[in-house]
Amino acid sequence: MTDLGDAWTRVLAGLPPNQRAWLTNSRPVTLHESTAIVAVPDDFTRGQLETRLRPDLERILSESFGRDIRIAVTVDPSLDPELREPQAPPQPVVREPLRTDGAYQPTIQSALSQPDNNAPQFSPPQRQEPAPQHYEQPRGPAPRQQPFGHQLGSVAPPPNGMPQPATEAQGEARLNPKYTFETFVIGSSNRFAHAAAVAVAEAPGKAYNPQLIYGDSGLGKTHLLHAIGHYVRSLYTGARVRYVSSEEFTNDFINAIRDDKASQFQRRYRDVDVLLIDDIQFLEGKIQTQEEFFHTFNTLHNANKQIVISSDRAPKRLEALEDRLRNRFEWGLITDIQPPDLETRIAILRKKAATERLTAPPEVLEFIASKVQTNIRELEGALIRVTAFASLNRQPVDLSLAEIVLKDLIPEGSKPEVTASMIMGQTASYFGLSIDDLCGSSRSRVLVTARQIAMYLCRELTDLSLPKIGQQFGGRDHTTVMHAERKIRQLMSERRSVFNQVTELTNRIKHQAKQQ
Ligand SMILES: Nc1ncnc2c1ncn2[C@@H]1O[C@H](COP(=O)(O)OP(=O)(O)OP(=O)(O)O)[C@@H](O)[C@H]1O
């Protein structure tokens, strides 16, 4: 099998001298599936590789390996000979990863080196500044860095030069406090995406830009995006992080045009240090929004601001997205998330049970994990139902109880497709309401509960995103859907009536789906 080091030698030999000169201080890092990671000393060189040299580099590498190879370029300032200081005390090459309660947290090095043990040794991007301390003390707060701009040099400080108050910045970042690296379980299905996400958070705008994470619904893409945001904010005081779903971006853009507030819109998305944009597939076919996003992307990328994108498909398969956007997504690092294996599913359930203070013995967790195999949101939903049922019946959580609950939730055989309109139709008729009632604004108690149950079921039984579910219910905001999901989870373990309603409705909906 061709080694990346050998292939790189071929690259150097195959390029004309004027192009080869750009690679003098570059280093091949590792090959992960079809992505060869190359480190260069500075942003300028990276720009050259990503634009001028890319076609030739990828052609020669693809020829060497006999398959399509793409490159992802990362900046490692220690490769710059002028910046090397032989007497300087050695910097830790690989910083300690986030440490949590014993869960395995690989370093970017170990994660990246796994697929190809023969790859040249990888040092993650280093800065000239002292490396940040990353939760060296598992319990204490991590020492905070200087304001973002000062730390990274190329990143502008916050508008008034002062760190923003934590609450305000947190609100602006719009991050879910539960989605952190600490609560993210690593397995072979997501190891590479996780490691790259940590690297991006440690060196925003420098490690891989953009980072694109793709995978099926409910596999942790949103979780990773939020985790990057939290980690950046814990490392760099005053970092301006913004999370947005592509649907919100689109709506925001449409409203800005309508209200003549384009410049305000642009500031919101361009005056940030890290933009986390979720579910980019939603931009497919939306020409004007794509155009706007293209300019947002360019502005941020040119200023070395970090962009992280998630998608339900590989960029190649985003067919209704403009080529120039797809092409830009390929400048950075593309990582995928696969459905987790059994061990990872069990570990996720264990972590979920611990954080939500749900008690369930190991054999029950294993049973649930063996039954729900693809979507982690559904996996969590199953655990919540089992524990809620036990709590309502004042029974211990055991295997026989789990079997009863899951029998209804997960019918044998192929998975029928559930739609929002099925859920809304069944919920409306169960409560003796109309669909218009569910979409309307009445806040009578029965109606509010019915609406929230229907939203909860849309979240659990379909792949629809939060904004899409909000849209189905008379154009409600995605935060209303989030609230409904939380509320029903809680009510299920407190009120038998709600548990029964949710269970009965699930049966009816799944039954209807099977008939279709
Ligand atoms: N590796 C993991 N460790 C712990 N929890 C996880 C992991 N992966 C996913 N989850 C949990 O599963 C649920 C679904 O994840 P998330 O919303 O991030 O998926 P997604 O890929 O963004 O889905 P969608 O495309 O539908 O938005 C969340 O509650 C998340 O915390």
Side-chain angles (χ1 to χ4, degrees):
M1 201 176 114
T2 310
D3 174 77
L4 181 59
D6 294 344
W8 196 246
T9 313
R10 241 163 282 158
V11 165
L12 294 176
L15 289 176
N18 62 334
Q19 291 196 6
R20 198 182 313 138
W22 287 107
L23 302 179
T24 316
N25 296 314
S26 68
R27 200 159 50 87
V29 175
T30 189
L31 180 69
H32 175 74
E33 293 174 2
S34 57
T35 304
I37 299 171
V38 181
V40 298
D42 51 52
D43 286 323
F44 188 65
T45 313
R46 182 179 64 171
Q48 295 296 317
L49 258 67
E50 281 178 343
T51 49
R52 278 180 50 195
L53 273 63
R54 177 185 289 280
D56 284 337
L57 293 179
E58 291 184 344
R59 179 181 48 76
I60 301 173
L61 285 173
S62 302
E63 282 165 11
S64 299
F65 285 93
R67 58 193 167 98
D68 275 354
I69 301 290
R70 296 180 336 92
I71 56 158
V73 187
T74 178
V75 174
D76 178 357
S78 72
L79 291 173
D80 186 338
E82 288 188 15
L83 293 176
R84 271 187 211 136
E85 290 178 42
Q87 290 91 349
Q91 296 263 333
V93 171
V94 178
R95 275 101 51 182
E96 273 298 290
L98 299 160
R99 267 195 224 131
T100 54
D101 45 356
Y104 172 55
Q105 301 270 348
T107 57
I108 178 92
Q109 178 171 33
S110 67
L112 291 176
S113 58
Q114 284 212 2
D116 179 2
N117 292 331
N118 298 324
Q121 219 215 341
F122 171 62
S123 356
Q126 295 176 29
R127 287 184 280 275
Q128 260 40 70
E129 304 86 343
Q133 316 232 334
H134 298 158
Y135 299 108
E136 295 286 15
Q137 322 87 320
R139 309 243 168 260
R144 305 202 99 203
Q145 298 298 301
Q146 289 298 305
F148 200 61
H150 303 183
Q151 177 71 24
L152 294 182
S154 59
V155 180
N160 57 4
M162 295 290 289
Q164 293 167 356
T167 46
E168 187 190 312
Q170 180 75 32
E172 198 173 286
R174 304 155 80 244
L175 302 175
N176 181 336
K178 289 192 178 168
Y179 291 172
T180 62
F181 283 129
E182 283 87 349
T183 56
F184 191 84
V185 175
I186 302 153
S188 54
S189 56
N190 57 30
R191 178 169 282 118
F192 186 61
H194 167 269
V198 171
V200 156
E202 291 182 343
K206 289 209 172 356
Y208 315 104
N209 203 11
Q211 183 193 359
L212 188 140
I213 306 170
Y214 75 91
D216 286 344
S217 177
L219 294 184
K221 302 180 297 291
T222 303
H223 191 136
L224 274 184
L225 255 54
H226 285 243
I228 291 172
H230 286 299
Y231 197 29
V232 168
R233 288 168 43 79
S234 77
L235 293 174
Y236 303 103
T237 309
R240 293 160 306 170
V241 174
R242 178 168 276 273
Y243 165 87
V244 68
S245 74
S246 301
E247 282 157 292
E248 287 174 84
F249 183 88
T250 305
N251 292 340
D252 229 12
F253 175 62
I254 293 168
N255 293 341
I257 301 291
R258 185 195 59 200
D259 302 339
D260 215 5
K261 290 190 173 150
S263 61
Q264 227 167 306
F265 170 86
Q266 286 174 355
R267 267 204 308 280
R268 194 169 315 136
Y269 293 103
R270 297 182 192 189
D271 287 359
V272 295
D273 300 305
V274 179
L275 180 65
L276 308 161
I277 181 147
D278 212 353
D279 289 323
I280 202 76
Q281 73 276 357
F282 186 79
L283 294 194
E284 279 192 306
K286 302 193 170 63
I287 303 300
Q288 257 190 301
T289 314
Q290 282 185 36
E291 168 91 21
E292 181 58 33
F293 182 65
F294 179 73
H295 295 300
T296 306
F297 184 102
N298 288 344
T299 307
L300 291 172
H301 199 268
N302 288 342
N304 290 325
K305 307 299 169 84
Q306 181 69 46
I307 304 151
V308 187
I309 301 161
S310 89
S311 161
D312 69 350
R313 270 159 283 159
K316 253 197 226 75
R317 295 188 42 229
L318 291 168
E319 280 128 20
L321 213 58
E322 281 184 49
D323 282 348
R324 56 182 186 167
L325 260 184
R326 269 206 308 248
N327 171 280
R328 269 161 178 70
F329 295 166
E330 297 194 343
W331 281 359
L333 184 64
I334 299 173
T335 54
D336 67 330
I337 305 191
Q338 296 293 329
D341 56 21
L342 180 66
E343 279 71 30
T344 312
R345 296 201 298 279
I346 296 170
I348 290 173
L349 285 179
R350 209 178 293 139
K351 185 148 251 173
K352 186 77 188 167
T355 50
E356 304 277 322
R357 301 218 171 86
L358 305 169
T359 319
E363 64 275 14
V364 169
L365 298 185
E366 282 163 29
F367 176 71
I368 299 174
S370 70
K371 287 284 174 195
V372 186
Q373 292 168 359
T374 45
N375 186 320
I376 298 173
R377 194 174 296 121
E378 221 174 302
L379 188 68
E380 294 180 344
L383 173 67
I384 283 159
R385 291 215 190 179
V386 169
T387 50
F389 185 74
S391 137
L392 285 172
N393 291 302
R394 299 189 195 291
Q395 261 180 282
V397 177
D398 59 22
L399 258 185
S400 57
L401 177 138
E403 275 168 13
I404 295 170
V405 178
L406 294 200
K407 197 157 157 274
D408 291 337
L409 188 63
I410 308 153
E412 298 293 328
S414 66
K415 206 178 142 192
E417 204 206 332
V418 173
T419 62
S421 55
M422 273 179 207
I423 294 173
M424 294 171 81
Q426 289 289 354
T427 312
S429 80
Y430 180 83
F431 285 98
L433 304 165
S434 68
I435 303 257
D436 282 348
D437 289 333
L438 289 182
C439 299
S441 56
S442 164
R443 300 208 41 82
S444 81
R445 188 165 154 176
V446 175
L447 234 162
V448 169
T449 308
R451 196 179 287 137
Q452 287 180 333
I453 288 179
M455 287 182 182
Y456 172 85
L457 289 171
C458 282
R459 193 77 183 125
E460 197 182 274
L461 304 178
T462 75
D463 289 345
L464 294 172
S465 63
L466 293 166
K468 246 206 192 109
I469 297 172
Q471 254 167 34
Q472 300 278 342
F473 286 81
R476 287 180 153 80
D477 192 71
H478 74 283
T479 50
T480 310
V481 186
M482 269 161 81
H483 172 73
E485 188 188 0
R486 258 200 310 269
K487 185 84 192 163
I488 296 302
R489 278 187 175 192
Q490 181 198 339
L491 285 182
M492 272 204 290
S493 59
E494 290 172 1
R495 278 203 232 147
R496 178 179 298 279
S497 58
V498 175
F499 184 89
N500 289 345
Q501 286 159 353
V502 173
T503 307
E504 175 56 24
L505 270 170
T506 308
N507 288 342
R508 291 187 186 189
I509 292 159
K510 291 208 164 167
H511 184 75
Q512 182 189 348
K514 256 206 269 182
Q515 311 294 309
Q516 304 282 313

